[in-house]
């Protein structure tokens, strides 16, 4: 979006033959920050939402702790990150405290299976995704 703003200012300069003014720059930036613009989904936002649902902290999800509650939250976070972002398994693992891609793949497969067989898990995941989408629009 910011790159588009710069291109717009350059095009204006080219057409008018004068450097862009501060007012033009502020107007261009205001356009990209309008309420109609959907904020991007971030990993931090996803992890915070999952942490809140499971009663753990974001730091817990990123930690090496292995309690059942934290482990489940970590798996769900990996699944939701994969569903809502374009991150690779390796990058998701890095976001989750340095887990390797095969561990992340296991997390995602585990939650995929739970979503397919357990309506409670499916509803929880759907609620998390709705909450995140609602917070970013």
């Amino acid at each position: 979006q910011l790159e588009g703003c710069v291109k717009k200012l350059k095009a204006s300069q080219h057409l008018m033959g004068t450097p862009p003014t501060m007012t033009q720059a502020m107007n261009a930036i205001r356009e990209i920050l309008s309420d109609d613009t959907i904020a991007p989904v971030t990993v931090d936002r996803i992890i915070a939402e999952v942490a809140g649902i499971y009663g753990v902290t974001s730091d817990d999800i990123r930690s090496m702790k292995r309690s059942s509650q934290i482990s489940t939250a970590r798996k769900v976070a990996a699944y939701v990150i994969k569903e809502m972002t374009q991150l690779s398994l390796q990058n998701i693992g890095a976001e989750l405290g340095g887990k390797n891609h095969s561990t992340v793949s296991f997390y995602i497969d585990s939650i995929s299976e739970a979503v397919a067989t357990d309506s409670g898990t499916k509803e929880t995941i759907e609620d998390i995704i709705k909450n995140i989408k609602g917070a970013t629009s």
Side-chain angles (χ1 to χ4, degrees), residues 5 8-9 11 23 39 53 55 58 66 99 117 121 124:
C5 182
K8 184 175 182 177
L9 290 171
T23 303
I53 296 290
S58 294
R66 296 174 69 173
K99 308 298 184 272
T117 60
T121 300
T124 300

Side-chain angles (χ1 to χ4, degrees), residues 71-72 75-76 79 103-118 121 125:
S71 179
T72 299
K75 289 175 187 177
V76 169
Y79 179 87
T103 299
V104 174
S105 180
F106 169 77
Y107 291 165
I108 293 168
D109 290 347
S110 171
I111 297 302
S112 293
E113 185 177 321
V115 166
T117 60
D118 178 35
T121 300
I125 300 289

